[in-house]
Amino acid sequence: MHDRLDLIVELLHRHEADGRLPADVLIDLRQQLDELHPADIAFILESLPLDDRLAIWQLVKADRDGEILLEVSDAVRESLIADMDRHEILAAAETLDADELADLVEDLPTAMLPELMAGLDAQQREQVQSALSYEDDQLGALMDFEMVTIREDVSLEVVLRYLRRWDELPAQTDKLFVINQDNLLTGVLPLHWLLVNAPDKMVSEVMAPDVNTFHPENDAYEVAQAFERYDLVTAPVVDDHGHLIGRITIDAMVDVIREEGESEALSRAGLREEEDIFASVWASLRNRWSWLAINLVTAFIASRVIGLFENSIERLVALAALMPIVAGIGGNSGNQTITMIVRALALNQITAESAKRLWRKELTVSLLNGLIWGGVIGLVAWWLYDSLSLGLVMTAAMTLNLLLAAFAGVGIPVLMTRFGRDPALGSSVLITAMTDSGGFFIFLGLASIFLM
């Protein structure tokens, strides 16, 4: 894929003196794009600066626009839609199913929505409105309405004849959903069961009545975890009365897991949202400034902690050389702890009782690490500066700061969860601030007491 990207970039730069691309280059570019999957084109668009991105976007066939818009990131999608006129957007929307269109609607110009909805048939319009009625993190927003349903009171031979009437089965079809005359879900019929059983058997004899079902109000990430746990490919979505209203597919759940992982990584670094790497300076600045401001405040606090011990540092210069070690190791240990806790919280593996046990466990691990590695660095400090007391202070400071890192590493995400906040949001910034200021205070404080 990277070779194809390099080739396209090279072709883009073969422009003539007036800035236009030669006809043979345009033909070659179009041929390259026609051979690519929409996801690969999305990757290329995300990897190009804005001007090159829009140049490639203009060369993509119009009937593929909708598929590609669904594949690109939200930030890149905004830039592509901004370059499209009303007719191009409507044409792209016509190629999408109702559930796909619901994913795209939020990024479209508001003024276009009435015209777009008016162009849908009654069933599609109802499906789009149904998907839009749920929050982004709810399963209902990801439902697929295209599925195969059968009755339980027919034979497998009838089902096979019915399937042969389809031009193509919906993507990810691994099972058929069995309903009664009231549209109540009564079971599922896996396709491989349909193939290996005698055609004269009834669906009710072969189907699996015990089904993993979900509701549109369910949290999408929790459902994605269930897909992973039970190795699901598709699953039915039912309302409170058991009526089948849609299905959820593995490709949607993979997207949820990927987006959750990306969001967690961005949150730990203090970024508010996914950022187009080629976004404008102002857009990038707005996404990053808040946590940088917080980081500046915490760095100032750490500097004032050091300022409290200026006299001690002047009298024993070795303190200035050793104190970053204490702070750095504490920050690394804290980030290890906080990463494990945030992951456990995301998987709903922590209860109020287990949080106490985790605290005790992490404190014990940090105590042992502090004594072992603090002892090692203490011996090094003794050897370098010929001072046993300095080595002992170094060992004690390292141990205490690792204990602080463990306490904060468990406490920060647990408290943020209790107050309804994302436990990953800025966690790396906060733990580093605590271990920096705490490490400096502990090390310099112990040095002032025992070495001066």
Side-chain angles (χ1 to χ4, degrees), residues 318 322 325 374-395 443:
L322 295 174
I325 298 176
V376 170
I377 196 63
L379 290 173
V380 172
W382 180 16
W383 175 69
L384 286 175
Y385 299 101
D386 195 24
S387 172
L388 176 60
S389 55
L390 178 59
L392 292 173
V393 165
M394 190 71 182
T395 300
F443 178 57

Side-chain angles (χ1 to χ4, degrees), residues 100-111:
E100 296 172 331
L101 188 56
D103 291 337
L104 192 60
V105 160
E106 293 183 353
D107 296 313
L108 299 180
T110 307

Side-chain angles (χ1 to χ4, degrees), residues 1-13 44:
M1 194 64 240
H2 290 283
D3 292 340
R4 188 68 66 98
L5 174 61
D6 291 339
L7 175 59
I8 287 175
V9 171
E10 180 186 347
L11 291 172
L12 276 174
H13 293 161
I44 289 172

